Amino acid sequence: MEDEQYKLEKENWVSGLSGSSLWDVVVPLTIIPLATMFHRTVTLILEPEQKNDSKNKKNLKQFVLDFTFFVIPLILAILFPQHYWILLISLITSIFISKPNLITLSLQYITSNSNDSSSWYPYLSTAKKPFLNNYRSSMMLITCLSILAVDFPIFPRKFAKTESYGVSLMDIGVGSFIISFAMVSNIARDSHSSNRFASLLIAVKNITPVFIFGIIRLILVKSTNYHEHVTEYGVHWNFFFTLAFVGLFSTLLSVKAHYAGTLGVILLLIYQAGLYMGLEDYILTSPRTNIISANKEGILSLFGYLSLYFISAQIGYFTLQSKTFSGWWKFVLRLILLVISLLGLRFLFQDVIKMQPSRRMVNIGYVLDTLIVNLVIIILCIVVDLFIPIENNQIVYAVSGKRNSQLLVFALANILTGLVNVSMKTLYASDLTSLSVLTLYMLIVTGFVYFIL
């Protein structure tokens, strides 16, 4: 009886929430480019002679530096947003105390090497661009942190997933996962096989592990009476199934990178029209009488996630292209103009038409908010790379796994989240206990990325 009561408490803890503002989501995420600057500056001082080669990538000392000067600032920014400005000022002050001539050096780099990014900054000419790696890996770590932290009182309620409408950090995190995959997808790399059947077989092979993870999670949740929020995806659905089907349908609807964004917009407009003509009421109020209606949120939201995937794939295509140094600044300007355009559309839909964003449905408002937040962080990460080029050992290896390893990290995070929840009553944990458990949890997750992937 006591366990049943606690399960109800956990379900109520994550139910009926309305989120916060887009500003409240963007501000703490700016810790990603800021922590990148902090890490590069500090590691250059502490390890000035270490070369950036494979022999020095995986050692305990480097991992401690990465975790201390990159991961811990992420944890603090998410768990204590009320003190973010103190953290912001502290990190910026530390950066300029550590490297007082930073601005001068950056301006020298820019003025003397403005024509060719290859000679000025060879990393921008490689396939694994540092800013993209930092953005993808950091968003993954924040997502991993949030899925466990939300069960503790220390986690701000405004960051938890909304019930039906609104925007929150965890809402955006789900869409960010899709964007992260899309930006390095085969579409973004403009890698197409002339044999559609062979491509489909490869896609099925790739999504099979994802689908298996989804089935395992479903079985474990149902067999252990684990608390669940049914209106999130449905009775049987979970995010692993969403990832699997987005991967499958994106292959079936194979399109060249130049047309991916157009296809995404068309899909989104058709889906939004369907929501307007009755699907919205169906998702929100229809009884769960069969396997389809029982999982209506997960099934129908696929249209929104798929459109977000295609739009992000085209953005990824332009991001991955080689550019000169001045070309990168022009690209940043184009991204800024894109964000401004998206903000204009957001104003139209949310303030004029009064169409609120909904992660539950993945409507046009949600897609716009997710794109805006992620593009802002990507822009800031690019600017950091342009101002502070990487030297020696300044890559954050603790968050740098292989390109397709994020699924394994996410699966591990889900397993650890389940283990923590069955081993302690997280709702009753003190702030000190919560912070200790979450820090240890992130240490395990980043250790997995660093030493195993």
Side-chain angles (χ1 to χ4, degrees):
M1 184 67 181
E2 182 180 347
D3 288 341
E4 198 62 36
Q5 177 63 31
Y6 182 69
K7 179 187 176 184
L8 290 174
E9 287 184 47
K10 291 294 289 287
E11 290 174 356
N12 291 333
W13 181 251
V14 295
S15 301
L17 301 174
S18 57
S20 56
S21 67
L22 198 62
W23 175 257
D24 285 337
V25 175
V26 171
V27 169
L29 290 179
T30 58
I31 191 64
I32 296 173
L34 183 60
T36 301
M37 291 177 61
F38 183 55
H39 174 270
R40 288 184 189 174
T41 305
V42 173
T43 51
L44 186 60
I45 293 171
L46 296 180
E47 296 284 343
E49 302 301 325
Q50 181 175 322
K51 299 300 180 184
N52 187 26
D53 57 43
S54 59
K55 293 182 180 179
N56 291 307
K57 284 182 182 179
K58 297 191 175 182
N59 61 74
L60 185 59
K61 183 178 181 181
Q62 185 63 46
F63 174 71
V64 172
L65 288 176
D66 289 355
F67 190 83
T68 302
F69 298 113
F70 189 85
V71 180
I72 285 184
L74 296 186
I75 296 174
L76 296 177
I78 301 304
L79 297 183
F80 305 105
Q82 68 274 26
H83 303 306
Y84 180 74
W85 297 109
I86 297 176
L87 178 63
L88 176 73
I89 294 171
S90 299
L91 290 181
I92 292 177
T93 302
S94 300
I95 289 169
F96 285 104
I97 289 177
S98 303
K99 196 97 171 156
N101 60 339
L102 180 64
I103 294 179
T104 302
L105 288 175
S106 296
L107 290 175
Q108 287 176 354
Y109 278 129
I110 292 171
T111 54
S112 62
N113 300 283
S114 59
N115 295 321
D116 183 6
S117 66
S118 297
S119 61
W120 176 76
Y121 189 8
Y123 288 97
L124 279 179
S125 301
T126 63
K128 193 174 183 178
K129 294 175 171 46
F131 72 84
L132 191 56
N133 177 69
N134 281 345
Y135 151 72
R136 296 181 69 243
S137 302
S138 300
M139 293 299 281
M140 165 60 72
L141 288 184
I142 290 173
T143 300
C144 291
L145 171 65
S146 299
I147 61 175
L148 176 58
V150 70
D151 295 321
F152 288 88
I154 196 173
F155 188 74
R157 290 296 89 197
K158 66 180 180 178
F159 286 166
K161 288 179 180 177
T162 57
E163 185 68 29
S164 296
Y165 297 101
V167 62
S168 73
L169 180 70
M170 289 192 72
D171 285 337
I172 296 298
V174 177
S176 299
F177 211 103
I178 298 292
I179 293 176
S180 178
F181 272 93
M183 289 194 69
V184 295
S185 64
N186 287 334
I187 295 176
R189 295 175 183 277
D190 207 20
S191 175
H192 290 277
S193 172
S194 57
N195 190 329
R196 294 290 296 274
F197 182 71
S199 298
L200 183 59
L201 286 180
I202 293 173
V204 171
K205 179 183 176 182
N206 290 336
I207 69 170
T208 297
V210 189
F211 197 77
I212 291 173
F213 278 132
I215 293 174
I216 292 173
R217 189 185 191 282
L218 172 63
I219 294 172
L220 290 176
V221 167
K222 298 300 181 182
S223 62
T224 60
N225 199 31
Y226 190 78
H227 69 277
E228 53 184 329
H229 193 192
V230 173
T231 59
E232 188 174 345
Y233 295 108
V235 177
H236 312 99
W237 201 272
N238 58 60
F239 190 57
F240 286 107
F241 293 141
T242 296
L243 288 175
F245 281 107
V246 167
L248 178 62
F249 292 143
S250 64
T251 302
L252 290 173
L253 297 174
S254 181
V255 62
K256 290 187 176 181
H258 279 291
Y259 307 108
T262 302
L263 176 59
V265 171
I266 292 173
L267 280 174
L268 184 60
L269 292 176
I270 292 173
Y271 176 55
Q272 188 62 52
L275 290 173
Y276 180 77
M277 291 186 290
L279 283 180
E280 182 171 352
D281 289 337
Y282 172 76
I283 292 173
L284 296 178
T285 63
S286 176
R288 303 178 189 274
T289 57
N290 53 54
I291 191 66
I292 301 298
S293 60
N295 300 286
K296 52 192 177 180
E297 292 91 349
I299 294 172
L300 290 174
S301 64
L302 284 174
F303 291 98
Y305 284 125
L306 197 58
S307 67
L308 179 61
Y309 183 92
F310 282 124
I311 294 170
S312 303
Q314 183 160 353
I315 296 172
Y317 169 72
F318 291 117
T319 303
L320 293 173
Q321 289 181 334
S322 297
K323 304 172 186 66
T324 62
F325 180 69
S326 59
W328 278 109
W329 281 110
K330 291 176 182 178
F331 181 65
V332 167
L333 179 59
R334 291 191 187 101
L335 289 182
I336 292 173
L337 293 175
L338 177 58
V339 170
I340 293 172
S341 300
L342 293 174
L343 284 170
L345 289 173
R346 183 180 189 270
F347 174 79
L348 173 65
F349 282 103
Q350 295 189 27
D351 296 301
V352 178
I353 303 178
K354 304 299 182 183
M355 182 186 296
Q356 295 305 303
S358 172
R359 175 209 41 84
R360 186 175 175 182
M361 291 175 276
V362 190
N363 63 0
I364 196 168
Y366 173 79
V367 171
L368 288 172
D369 282 354
T370 305
L371 285 170
I372 290 168
V373 171
N374 281 267
L375 285 173
V376 168
I377 303 307
I378 290 170
I379 289 168
L380 293 176
C381 287
I382 296 175
V383 170
V384 168
D385 275 8
L386 291 174
F387 269 108
I388 311 177
I390 290 179
E391 298 176 9
N392 299 330
N393 60 321
Q394 293 176 297
I395 294 175
V396 190
Y397 293 114
V399 298
S400 302
K402 297 176 182 177
R403 179 166 68 94
N404 297 318
S405 64
Q406 290 198 337
L407 173 63
L408 292 175
V409 180
F410 187 61
L412 174 65
N414 273 267
I415 293 170
L416 293 175
T417 296
L419 290 175
V420 171
N421 273 282
V422 298
S423 62
M424 66 179 293
K425 287 181 167 31
T426 57
L427 285 185
Y428 306 149
S430 65
D431 284 355
L432 180 59
T433 300
S434 301
L435 184 59
S436 301
V437 171
L438 291 170
T439 302
L440 177 60
Y441 160 80
M442 291 300 291
L443 192 66
I444 295 172
V445 171
T446 53
F448 177 75
V449 174
Y450 189 87
F451 292 107
I452 298 178
L453 296 182

